[in-house]
Amino acid sequence: MEIVRTIADLQSKIKAAGTTEVGFVPTMGALHEGHLSLIKRSVSENVLTVASVFVNPTQFNDPSDLERYPRTPEADCALLASAGCGIAFLPSVEEMYPEPDTRTFDLGTVAEVMEGRYRPGHFNGVAQIVSKLFYAVQPKRAYFGDKDFQQIAVIRSMVRSLNLPVEIIACPIVREASGLAKSSRNTLLSAEEKTNAALISQPLSCSREFMRQGAGVAETAAFVTRGLQNEPLFRLDYYEIVADDTLLPVKDWNESAHITGCIAVYCGKIRLIDNVHYK
Ligand code: AMP
């Protein structure tokens, strides 16, 4: 695997590979099996897989979150190589932002709800970095995790509005044995917080059964939030049951062919997100 740090080097290595079948996996590093599932999917579907490891400052609305974000570049490169990645791109902030990025993207309502409301500017920062990375790599396919369910809708909206010729591929959430969705931020949890964080996914997966037994949307949402309110370590930002295409809340299961429940909850100081597909 090649490790490159500049866009010029990245592009000359991609050119040398002599293929347009390029799969791309953008990450912020501190890699785990969730990220590696994306790499492996890309390796199986493309001639060349490129991964980026870059903690993007413009998508952090909370400076302390950026400061404490875990950084493990050596381990990341070893994991990427072992998963079959062809090129690892680890740019500096100056390389990606030689000038401050003043672009504002019109990402539609999918960027305004849920995370958009609680993390102002976050998705604009995501669109800034992902568009720069797409221009640099020019991938045929790009792989994103369903853990960041809303992010996928936002990226698809960006790709449509910029007419970028890249196929966006969503990959399932990889979880710990406890059910906790794997996340780089999990390494910031204390042992006790991690045990508690495992309780986030339980009401989510049970609520799918509850829904299948006939519970309505409001009842199902109440089932999930009730399950979390009993735990003093949690502070719920939101639990919303939304239509997959608009990300707007539904009142009835018949309102959309595909419906997902999305949660954001603080476990101590660490904010975690997760989701469950109902249909
Ligand atoms: P991040 O490094 O957190 O920006 O994540 C990079 C990519 O990996 C994003 O597309 C995430 O959705 C994806 N990802 C992170 N955690 C998981 C997981 N547990 N399962 C599947 N994909 C994930």
Side-chain angles (χ1 to χ4, degrees), residues 28 30 55 65-73 76:
M28 297 207 299
V55 181
D65 187 25
L66 173 60
E67 204 174 303
R68 69 177 164 232
Y69 200 85
R71 288 163 168 89
T72 58
D76 291 344

Side-chain angles (χ1 to χ4, degrees), residues 25-29 31-35 37-38 59 69 143-148 151 171-175 181-185:
V25 182
T27 83
M28 297 207 299
L31 300 183
H32 49 68
E33 282 166 46
H35 299 110
S37 71
L38 272 51
Q59 73 188 70
Y69 200 85
Y143 297 80
F144 292 86
D146 217 9
K147 182 173 129 342
D148 299 276
Q151 175 171 272
C171 305
I173 302 179
V174 176
R175 297 178 179 280
K182 288 195 183 252
S183 165
S184 305
R185 287 190 176 85

Side-chain angles (χ1 to χ4, degrees), residues 102-121:
T102 55
R103 292 175 300 161
T104 303
F105 290 79
D106 180 5
L107 300 164
T109 54
V110 293
E112 285 162 20
V113 297
M114 299 191 286
E115 293 298 279
R117 201 165 64 242
Y118 282 86
R119 302 185 67 191

Side-chain angles (χ1 to χ4, degrees), residues 111-169:
E112 285 162 20
V113 297
M114 299 191 286
E115 293 298 279
R117 201 165 64 242
Y118 282 86
R119 302 185 67 191
H122 167 66
F123 284 127
N124 198 62
V126 169
Q128 287 177 339
I129 191 61
V130 175
S131 61
K132 278 172 178 271
L133 291 166
F134 281 179
Y135 291 134
V137 177
Q138 301 195 9
K140 182 159 182 183
R141 304 179 185 91
Y143 297 80
F144 292 86
D146 217 9
K147 182 173 129 342
D148 299 276
F149 175 69
Q150 187 175 3
Q151 175 171 272
I152 298 179
V154 170
I155 300 285
R156 288 200 163 119
S157 165
M158 181 195 81
V159 161
R160 265 196 312 275
S161 71
L162 299 179
N163 300 110
L164 297 177
V166 52
E167 184 187 349
I168 304 302
I169 296 167

Side-chain angles (χ1 to χ4, degrees), residues 8 20 23 37 46 50 68 71 101 113 125 135 145 159 175 206 229 252 257 260 264:
T20 56
S37 71
N46 299 278
V50 178
R68 69 177 164 232
R71 288 163 168 89
D101 193 339
V113 297
Y135 291 134
V159 161
R175 297 178 179 280
C206 291
Q229 268 152 8
D252 190 287
T260 298

Side-chain angles (χ1 to χ4, degrees), residues 44-94:
S44 74
E45 294 179 353
N46 299 278
V47 175
L48 173 67
T49 290
V50 178
S52 60
V53 175
F54 180 67
V55 181
N56 173 40
T58 73
Q59 73 188 70
F60 283 81
N61 53 315
D62 171 359
S64 65
D65 187 25
L66 173 60
E67 204 174 303
R68 69 177 164 232
Y69 200 85
R71 288 163 168 89
T72 58
E74 286 87 21
D76 291 344
C77 287
L79 286 170
L80 289 174
S82 71
C85 179
I87 302 176
F89 178 46
L90 285 79
S92 64
V93 173
E94 295 69 36

